[in-house]
C-alpha cells in the first residue's frame, strides 16, 4: 500500500508538525510546506524495510511529484509520510488509514471506486453514487456522466486516465 505500491487528486488543508523541515502553511499557498525531507525519511524507511521494490531515489521522486500534483492535500500526505517513516513496519494499519485519507483528498472525496474495461467506473462521491462510461472517439474519448442512476451530462476528454474524478466527468459532476 502507499508509496510501496504507488497508487495514487481536493480539500483545503494545513499541516502542522513539530518537524523543523516542514512548515504549517495552508496547502496551495506560496508558503506551502516542502515535503522533500518527509519524503526522504519515509522512502528511506520503506526501502530499508523492504516495503518497496523502488530505489530510494525513485521513491523520493514519486513522493515529491505527489506533493506537487496535489498541494491541497499536503496535510494528508505529510501525516502518511510521518507514519511510514516512524512505524517500523511495512503496511502498518495506521499508515494504511492515513494513506486512504490522502487518496480521498486527491480523488475529490470519492471512495470505493471500481473500474472496468474499457473505461467504466463507479464511485461514491459526497454521499452519492457517481458513474462514468467513456468510449473512444478518434483521438479522444466521449464520456457519459451519471449521478444516482441519472445521466447528468456528457463530455469529451483526452483519454489519458479513467476514473470518476480524473476524467472530464469531474467537471460535469462539480467535484
Amino acid at each position: 500500500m502507499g508509496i510501496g505500491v504507488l497508487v495514487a487528486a481536493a480539500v483545503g488543508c494545513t499541516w502542522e508538525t513539530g518537524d523543523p523541515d516542514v512548515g504549517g502553511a495552508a496547502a496551495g499557498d506560496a508558503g506551502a510546506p516542502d515535503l522533500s525531507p518527509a519524503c526522504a525519511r519515509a522512502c528511506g524507511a520503506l526501502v530499508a524495510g523492504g516495503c518497496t521494490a523502488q530505489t530510494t531515489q525513485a521513491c523520493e521522486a514519486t513522493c515529491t511529484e505527489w506533493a506537487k500534483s496535489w498541494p491541497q492535500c499536503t496535510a494528508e500526505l505529510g501525516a502518511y509520510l510521518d507514519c511510514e517513516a516512524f512505524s517500523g513496519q511495512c503496511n502498518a494499519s495506521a499508515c494504511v488509514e492515513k494513506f486512504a485519507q490522502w487518496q480521498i483528498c486527491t480523488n475529490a472525496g470519492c471512495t470505493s471506486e471500481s473500474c472496468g474495461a474499457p473505461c467504466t467506473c463507479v464511485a461514491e462521491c459526497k454521499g452519492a453514487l457517481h458513474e462514468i462510461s467513456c468510449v473512444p472517439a478518434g483521438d479522444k474519448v466521449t464520456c457519459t456522466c451519471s449521478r444516482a442512476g441519472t445521466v447528468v451530462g456528457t463530455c469529451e476528454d483526452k483519454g489519458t486516465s479513467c476514473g470518476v474524478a480524473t476524467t472530464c466527468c469531474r467537471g460535469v459532476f462539480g467535484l
Side-chain angles (χ1 to χ4, degrees):
M1 182 94 10
I3 291 175
V5 174
L6 289 177
V7 266
V11 212
C13 308
T14 60
W15 184 26
E16 300 281 344
T17 75
D19 185 335
D21 295 325
V22 180
D29 288 353
D34 174 11
L35 293 184
S36 298
C39 287
R41 281 190 303 274
C43 289
L46 288 166
V47 171
C51 302
T52 179
Q54 287 190 309
T55 65
T56 303
Q57 184 179 7
C59 177
E60 287 181 35
T62 299
C63 180
T64 302
E65 184 59 33
W66 285 355
K68 289 178 185 174
S69 296
W70 295 285
Q72 72 277 14
C73 300
T74 313
E76 290 82 355
L77 181 57
Y80 166 69
L81 295 172
D82 280 349
C83 186
E84 286 291 3
F86 302 111
S87 72
Q89 59 181 310
C90 299
N91 296 321
S93 60
C95 299
V96 170
E97 177 58 32
K98 289 181 186 317
F99 187 74
Q101 291 305 309
W102 178 76
Q103 284 185 302
I104 290 169
C105 182
T106 62
N107 201 26
C110 297
T111 60
S112 305
E113 184 168 49
S114 64
C115 297
C119 180
T120 58
C121 298
V122 177
E124 185 171 326
C125 307
K126 300 180 180 178
L129 193 63
H130 290 69
E131 301 172 66
I132 65 157
S133 178
C134 301
V135 294
D139 61 346
K140 299 181 189 241
V141 293
T142 300
C143 300
T144 302
C145 318
S146 304
R147 182 183 302 117
T150 302
V151 173
V152 294
T154 59
C155 56
E156 196 172 79
D157 208 341
K158 299 178 287 199
T160 57
S161 65
C162 182
V164 169
T166 58
T167 62
C168 58
C169 285
R170 181 177 182 153
V172 172
F173 293 138
L175 298 174

